[in-house]
Amino acid sequence: MANIYVPYGSVEGQTAQIAEYIAELIRAHGHQAEAADLKHAGDTLPAGYDCVIVAASVHMGKHEGFVTDFVKKNRGELDRLPSALVSVSLAAHGDEQSAEGYVEKFEEETGWRPAHVGLFAGALLYTHYNFIKKRIMKKIASDKGSPDLDTTRDYVYTEWDGVQRFTEDFLAGLSAPAGQ
Ligand SMILES: Cc1cc2nc3c(=O)[nH]c(=O)nc-3n(C[C@H](O)[C@H](O)[C@H](O)COP(=O)(O)O)c2cc1C
């Protein structure tokens, strides 16, 4: 049985939901897992974990600065333990190249090159945004030709099946014999 830490950065809450979903799924497979909001958990990787799945969301082209700091500080452990990165963005919903670009930038900045990377679409949570954010996000969506412009509702693009597959592949990798 593995004990897996799932630290995450989330501004509007979608990545928090994805991290909690991953942790629940891991527990449902008989392992231990804890999702931790890095905004409050601090930048130390607690002792006793066998694996780490870091999740972060993209705003203005970058993942959260405090997630970058966590990864930089714990690079040694992340390189030593089985680990993965989950990157959440709107680009992952149809603009794979940009979504990959954000991860490349993150990897360059932190020096961490995780063996497993999951790119997942986040959400347009209009009802959670303040007036200015709502206008900015509607303009971005409109410029991209998206029909999702009704700011009285939210649009969630996360494909939970994909998150499940990614998590189960990661778990399968842990039990695979060395070299496979
Ligand atoms: C102000 C703002 C800026 C954003 N900038 C980007 C961006 O540059 N690229 C992108 O792909 N998605 C961008 N997004 C979309 C977020 O990545 C998406 O809403 C994600 O679900 C946010 O995750 P969170 O709720 O965990 O913070 C932005 C969203 C907001 C609200």
Side-chain angles (χ1 to χ4, degrees):
M1 185 183 70
N3 189 11
I4 305 180
Y5 192 48
V6 189
Y8 65 84
S10 184
V11 178
E12 283 91 26
Q14 191 62 17
T15 308
Q17 284 203 34
I18 293 172
E20 295 289 355
Y21 176 79
I22 289 173
E24 258 176 46
L25 199 60
I26 292 171
R27 289 192 289 266
H29 279 76
H31 301 279
Q32 285 184 337
E34 188 195 351
D37 183 349
L38 283 179
K39 220 183 291 169
H40 308 296
D43 60 5
T44 303
L45 174 60
Y49 288 99
D50 312 309
C51 319
V52 185
I53 300 177
V54 178
S57 61
V58 175
H59 289 78
M60 303 300 178
K62 296 179 78 169
H63 294 86
E64 286 86 0
F66 56 86
V67 178
T68 307
D69 291 345
F70 171 85
V71 168
K72 278 187 186 165
K73 185 172 171 200
N74 299 289
R75 251 290 301 287
E77 283 297 272
L78 291 172
D79 284 340
R80 191 178 66 77
L81 298 172
S83 61
L85 172 68
V86 165
S87 172
V88 178
S89 66
L90 279 187
H93 181 63
D95 180 4
E96 200 85 347
Q97 208 177 343
S98 298
E100 280 169 11
Y102 300 141
V103 168
E104 270 166 38
K105 201 153 79 177
F106 184 78
E107 290 184 349
E108 270 164 32
E109 208 176 332
T110 58
W112 179 44
R113 302 202 173 265
H116 307 265
V117 177
L119 305 174
F120 297 112
L124 263 179
L125 301 178
Y126 286 124
T127 66
H128 300 231
Y129 301 154
N130 63 25
F131 180 74
I132 300 196
K133 235 187 210 185
K134 216 179 261 189
R135 288 195 62 164
I136 293 173
M137 295 315 289
K138 185 176 176 177
K139 169 96 174 58
I140 290 174
S142 166
D143 288 350
K144 288 189 186 290
S146 167
D148 300 341
L149 306 176
D150 177 357
T151 59
T152 65
R153 54 158 289 189
D154 297 331
Y155 297 89
V156 176
Y157 307 111
T158 308
E159 288 178 7
W160 298 101
D161 287 0
V163 179
Q164 179 174 353
R165 266 197 308 279
F166 176 82
T167 308
E168 287 174 349
D169 285 351
F170 182 80
L171 292 176
L174 298 180
S175 50
Q180 290 200 7

